[in-house]
Amino acid sequence: MTWIAALGEPLIELNALTRGPLRYVQYFEKHVAGSEANFCIAAVMFGARCSLVARVGDDEFGRNVVEYLRGRGVDVSHIKFDNAPTGVFFVQRHYPVPGRSVMFYYRRGSAGSRLSPVDVDEALIKAVDAVHSTGITLAISDSAREAVHKAFEIAKRTTFDTNIRPALWRNLEEARVAVLDVLRRGVEVLITDPDDTEVVLGVREPEEAYRRYRELGVEVLLYKMGARGAYVFRGDEKYFKPAYSVPVEDPTGAGDAMAGVFTAMYLSGAELEKALAYAVASSALVVTVRGDNEAIPDVKDAEALLRAL
């Protein structure tokens, strides 16, 4: 079984039950979310073991996070309880752009932002097959960024999702420098998209993006194209899988599902084209419901979608 460790902040998501601006929303639905938490759930659904290295508040939301992730099969033994609060974010759906969601974060000073190098168990990092993190973890605090650096320096293999959230950075130049710093430390699998790549490299076109990332040492590039689908590149190999036309309830978490499924399959030795197909199918199911990870399929359900569409 492939074993992955992921570093990041699990959060409580409050998703609007109705569409439109939050100022008029009266009811919210609670979910457990966070990019690396979603990634771990997706990886577990596709046969991997995933250990989440994180901090949550010693509060009801923190206990909710730990119990939920344990119930989804994620290894929570490396999540610490902290006296700072568990981070929260709100999701505004289908406004101002129909089919898209906007996130409002309340996580400054959260327990998750207090992740630091002391939380990185060297024995764990040396034992796992790969370590994963994202640009979100780089953004939430200097200590969290240092934790990622420490883990990546020890890890056998690394995977990274740029996941640039402008609201979490002072400016995009800071984001660019931080992401490039991680890439230069060595990343085997990079998950990104045209918007993030424009920030990091100043380009958007998939082939040019891979050429430039490859110069930085990236071996495999999963290039998410949103409603168009996704590419994967490795050496001279290139595959594209178009997105499925499905009803969109909330797109939040789709990219994390794609990353987790693809990474779990890739690390287990699956062919790139097959891993891409299952990853795109999984991300399609995620957007059909509220919540970031509830509709991540297992292999059997992903195959059912692939046969049906």
Side-chain angles (χ1 to χ4, degrees):
M1 177 185 290
T2 299
W3 187 7
I4 306 167
L7 285 77
E9 179 177 22
L11 299 153
I12 291 294
E13 171 190 301
L14 294 169
N15 201 308
L17 284 179
T18 52
R19 302 179 178 194
L22 290 189
R23 70 189 82 122
Y24 301 121
V25 172
Q26 301 300 319
Y27 300 101
F28 296 86
E29 189 174 70
K30 179 168 64 67
H31 301 268
V32 171
S35 181
E36 292 82 4
N38 299 333
F39 173 95
C40 276
I41 291 170
V44 167
M45 295 295 282
F46 276 73
R49 177 182 178 185
C50 199
S51 302
L52 184 60
V53 179
R55 286 183 179 240
V56 295
D58 187 10
D59 51 31
E60 288 301 312
F61 282 162
R63 285 183 275 278
N64 182 184
V65 166
V66 170
E67 291 177 10
Y68 177 81
L69 292 177
R70 182 186 293 121
R72 297 299 302 272
V74 177
D75 172 22
V76 298
S77 63
H78 296 273
I79 298 178
K80 295 180 180 178
F81 287 97
D82 193 285
N83 58 13
T86 303
V88 173
F89 72 104
F90 291 79
V91 179
Q92 174 176 280
R93 299 185 299 110
H94 296 273
Y95 186 88
V97 180
R100 298 185 187 178
S101 294
V102 179
M103 291 165 280
F104 297 89
Y105 297 106
Y106 294 84
R107 65 199 298 181
R108 183 169 297 173
S110 67
S113 70
R114 295 169 69 163
L115 180 72
S116 77
V118 301
D119 301 315
V120 178
D121 181 344
E122 293 192 21
L124 169 71
I125 302 304
K126 290 177 180 177
V128 299
D129 297 297
V131 173
H132 174 79
S133 195
T134 74
I136 294 174
T137 306
L138 302 184
I140 57 177
S141 69
D142 291 342
S143 64
R145 192 179 310 174
E146 291 165 2
V148 173
H149 292 170
K150 178 180 177 180
F152 274 36
E153 287 167 2
I154 300 169
K156 301 183 188 83
R157 305 170 76 178
T158 57
T159 72
F160 185 75
D161 189 332
T162 54
N163 246 345
I164 295 174
R165 298 287 185 267
L168 300 179
W169 294 95
R170 285 188 287 267
N171 55 66
L172 292 179
E173 175 61 17
E174 182 186 32
R176 185 186 72 83
V177 170
V179 169
L180 283 173
D181 185 23
V182 167
L183 294 180
R184 290 180 178 123
R185 292 169 186 267
V187 169
E188 180 179 345
V189 180
L190 178 66
I191 302 104
T192 190
D193 58 37
D195 289 343
D196 285 5
T197 298
E198 187 168 30
V199 172
V200 177
L201 299 177
V203 302
R204 297 181 65 88
E205 196 272 328
E207 284 79 4
E208 177 63 12
Y210 180 56
R211 186 186 70 79
R212 297 278 298 278
Y213 283 126
R214 197 175 179 186
E215 290 174 352
L216 292 169
V218 172
E219 295 181 28
V220 177
L221 176 66
L222 177 60
Y223 205 64
K224 301 175 291 184
M225 302 293 289
R228 288 180 54 196
Y231 287 92
V232 66
F233 298 88
R234 179 177 61 187
D236 295 329
E237 295 179 82
K238 180 183 78 170
Y239 302 102
F240 175 74
K241 182 68 177 177
Y244 295 99
S245 179
V246 296
V248 177
E249 182 73 9
D250 175 22
T252 313
D256 301 327
M258 185 183 292
V261 170
F262 177 83
T263 301
M265 294 187 69
Y266 167 76
L267 292 175
S268 69
E271 296 180 357
L272 285 188
E273 190 173 16
K274 181 178 180 180
L276 178 64
Y278 280 72
V280 171
S282 300
S283 67
L285 286 172
V286 168
V287 307
T288 63
V289 303
R290 292 185 299 273
D292 288 21
N293 52 63
E294 286 84 347
I296 297 174
D298 58 14
V299 174
K300 180 181 177 181
D301 289 343
E303 288 174 345
L305 178 63
L306 287 167
R307 288 193 302 269
L309 297 178

